[in-house]
Amino acid sequence: MLQHPIRNRIWIGNEWSDAADGGTFATVNPATGETITEVSSAQAADIERAVAAARSAMTNDAWRNMNPHKRSRLLWKLADAIEAAADELAALETADNGKPYFESRKVDLPSVVENFRYFAGLADRIQGATIPVAGPFLNYTLREPVGVVGCITPWNFPLSLAAWKVAPALACGNAVILKPAEQTPLTALRLGELAAEVGFPAGVLNVVPGFGETAGAALVRHPGVDAIAFTGSTEVGRIVMREAAETLKKVSLELGGKSPNIVLADADVKAAVRGAATGIFYGKGEVCAAGSRVLVERPIYEEFVEAFADRAARTTVGDPMDESTRLGAIVTEEQLERVMGYVEAGKAEGARLVAGGERTTVNGKGNFLTATVFADVESKMKIAQEEIFGPVAAVLPVDDLEHAIATANDTVFGLAAGVWTRDIGKAHRVARELQAGTVWINTYNQYDSASPFGGYRQSGFGRDLGYEAALEKYTQVKSVWVAMDR
Ligand code: ADP
């Protein structure tokens, strides 16, 4: 299946190296339980080397003073290189994460390519302003890179979420140290190598595989790192923010969610059922914006639950490499156990299990869970409040629009939300009243490199994607004053 040599060492200064202490960790294919390869496990000493390489790139003319048109072309070339290697990268992603090859190859990879092209377009359009200040002065601003950016990414969309950070950070002229999740480090390592192949100077993109508590923590603490762009759990987001305070790094956090998908009585029910299913079963529900709470207005509640349960029953697990598979393997045994804990909690709290909830295997192997739907869930239940990060939907009945909005906002999170209705006024009203960084109307799980994505409340702050968000996150503004009267 994986025909190309697998990159499994630390990538610093455009070269492969072992961890200083020689340590490695296994990365496992969750659909088979087999070890794909042993990967070098970066420790503080390796982060030290990565920071030195990145800092030297930031003072090296080849990168610091690179003509912005050339920076743009390099990003475009990297997009081309990723596109040319898309089959290889998609197979790696599926082996490492367990997601269907269909998703890796047909959704993730094209969006990664598009993302690098979009931010290639930003690289030579970053500019300051001249500002009409009082007095005999010329005042203007320069938009400069932040410096060395540590990007820490999770295992659910390993290459996509790396691209969301790496592409804009490089477009803005920063040097990057990318710390991929320990469960899924392989595509990020190949990305580092591809960047060197297309001509990014040494030290501009470094990739340091390793564990969060070692490699990740060392990156967050290092005084030579100027900013941390993090995507992961709310729990670790809190640690990152606390640790980064010591050196006052610029921090952005894209964290968990418990996103509501609201189905009003006047909705196109068939479309809403389809949307609710992709909202929670796409990516095995291991999606920060997963529509994990489905709020349904009472007049259509029973009809909806029946159709949704039926659809879940038809969303079957399969070998992720089989191109017809739409529900893959849960990323790790440990994660599957966590998710099963929530299935048990749902039953114990009195929710009605109407589909799935069973641990299973494919060809006798792997960590699989059938598409799961709980009905009659109450907002205070654990499965309605905590992020499960698996293919488990909680369906809650709501009385009317007001109740739907109140229930939707009854959470500490605020990443995304969906609303299904044929009433345009209601749709916009709901969009305005929801505490969420993204609202989808009559659709779900739409993304585009040009549209900002990020959280309200405990889903974090700072935005990925979109050029304004990139400038905000990956540049800093300098104000320059010139006396005109001497
Ligand atoms: P998930 O629940 O998706 O596994 P985590 O928040 O645990 O999310 O992990 C997201 C990323 O954060 C991973 O790359 C992980 O290694 C890293 N990480 C975990 N703990 C820490 C930490 N203490 N400091 C920095 N990074 C960490």
Side-chain angles (χ1 to χ4, degrees), residues 411-424:
T411 168
V412 296
F413 297 109
L415 193 55
V419 57
W420 299 81
T421 173
R422 288 193 175 96
D423 182 327
I424 192 171

Side-chain angles (χ1 to χ4, degrees), residues 445-458:
N445 269 344
Q446 300 299 331
Y447 301 88
D448 192 289
S449 301
S451 181
F453 180 82
Y456 277 34
R457 298 165 151 187
Q458 292 186 32

Side-chain angles (χ1 to χ4, degrees), residues 152-156 179-183 210-213 216-217 220 230-234 236-237 239-240 389:
I152 301 180
T153 50
W155 45 258
N156 56 346
K179 207 302 278 172
E182 53 271 33
Q183 297 85 350
F211 288 89
E213 302 74 27
V220 173
F230 175 86
T231 298
S233 61
T234 293
V236 175
I239 300 174
V240 167
F389 231 59

Side-chain angles (χ1 to χ4, degrees), residues 222-297:
H222 202 292
V225 175
D226 302 290
I228 292 287
F230 175 86
T231 298
S233 61
T234 293
E235 191 191 346
V236 175
R238 276 193 197 99
I239 300 174
V240 167
M241 193 165 167
R242 209 177 297 132
E243 292 288 323
E246 198 58 43
T247 45
L248 287 174
K249 287 182 176 58
K250 184 167 176 169
V251 174
S252 58
L253 303 173
E254 201 263 271
L255 308 175
K258 191 73 194 176
S259 299
N261 206 349
I262 302 172
V263 186
L264 297 177
D266 67 357
D268 173 344
V269 176
K270 244 174 105 178
V273 167
R274 211 165 41 233
T278 52
I280 188 63
F281 301 136
Y282 186 82
K284 310 162 262 166
E286 295 167 350
V287 178
C288 19
S292 48
R293 290 184 297 147
V294 186
L295 280 40
V296 185
E297 229 180 346

Side-chain angles (χ1 to χ4, degrees), residues 67-77 120-121 123-125:
N67 160 354
H69 303 305
K70 181 166 177 203
R71 202 162 75 225
S72 170
R73 276 199 308 277
L74 276 185
L75 282 158
W76 193 277
K77 278 193 190 168
D124 55 1
R125 284 161 181 74

